[in-house]
Amino acid sequence: MLMAYTMKEVVNKTGITAYTLRFYEKEGVLPAVDRDVNGVRKFSDHYVDCVEMVQALRSTGLPLAEIKQYVELYKSGDRTLPLRKTMLANQKSKVEEQIVRLMKTLEKLNYKLALIDAQENKFERLP
């Protein structure tokens, strides 16, 4: 059985705002959503998966224009698999570089915190 979610349920499930969902749909970043007989949006599990993929790509810093390009390639079918794979592999490399930079930053912060802890402990032992 297919699940159909309301706008509010998708907002709660994904953390994306209703405004952003409508904007992404209008811009072609997300597929057009199905509507019931009254014109109310009904979101499928596949649609929620699409939202989560867009959120993941946005969180890596990928511009909306490139996400839209990826979506267009996806809509074009399996013949675009090599292009989509290249796009995702390039973005994966950028994310890995970000992680390395963040790990170096975390090491610096931990080092400074350890120095402060050492200084605080030294002063606590003074008479």
Side-chain angles (χ1 to χ4, degrees):
M1 181 178 136
L2 292 174
M3 283 292 300
Y5 302 101
T6 63
M7 174 79 76
K8 185 176 182 182
E9 289 170 327
V10 173
V11 165
N12 289 337
K13 193 174 179 73
T14 63
I16 199 169
T17 66
Y19 172 84
T20 302
L21 267 176
R22 288 189 293 270
F23 175 76
Y24 284 177
E25 181 185 355
K26 185 176 135 258
E27 293 296 313
V29 176
L30 288 171
V33 68
D34 294 330
R35 294 175 184 261
D36 68 13
V37 292
N38 298 316
V40 176
R41 287 175 169 90
K42 287 294 176 191
F43 300 90
S44 66
D45 284 317
H46 174 70
Y47 195 95
V48 172
D49 289 343
C50 290
V51 170
E52 290 172 344
M53 184 62 183
V54 169
Q55 286 178 301
L57 292 172
R58 285 295 293 144
S59 74
T60 69
L62 194 65
L64 276 181
E66 289 183 45
I67 295 172
K68 185 175 179 178
Q69 180 185 2
Y70 180 86
V71 170
E72 293 300 321
L73 290 170
Y74 175 81
K75 288 182 195 174
S76 297
D78 287 352
R79 65 186 174 81
T80 66
L81 281 172
L83 280 172
R84 287 186 275 153
K85 184 176 182 179
T86 298
M87 284 182 78
L88 292 179
N90 288 341
Q91 202 58 23
K92 178 181 179 260
S93 293
K94 290 177 184 174
V95 169
E96 289 168 343
E97 290 168 11
Q98 289 173 337
I99 289 170
V100 168
R101 282 193 306 272
L102 286 171
M103 290 301 295
K104 287 179 180 174
T105 300
L106 183 60
E107 287 172 17
K108 286 183 189 313
L109 291 171
N110 283 335
Y111 175 74
K112 288 295 184 183
L113 285 167
L115 286 177
I116 290 171
D117 283 344
Q119 285 179 310
E120 285 177 340
N121 289 333
K122 184 175 85 175
F123 293 126
E124 286 174 9
R125 288 192 211 109
L126 292 176

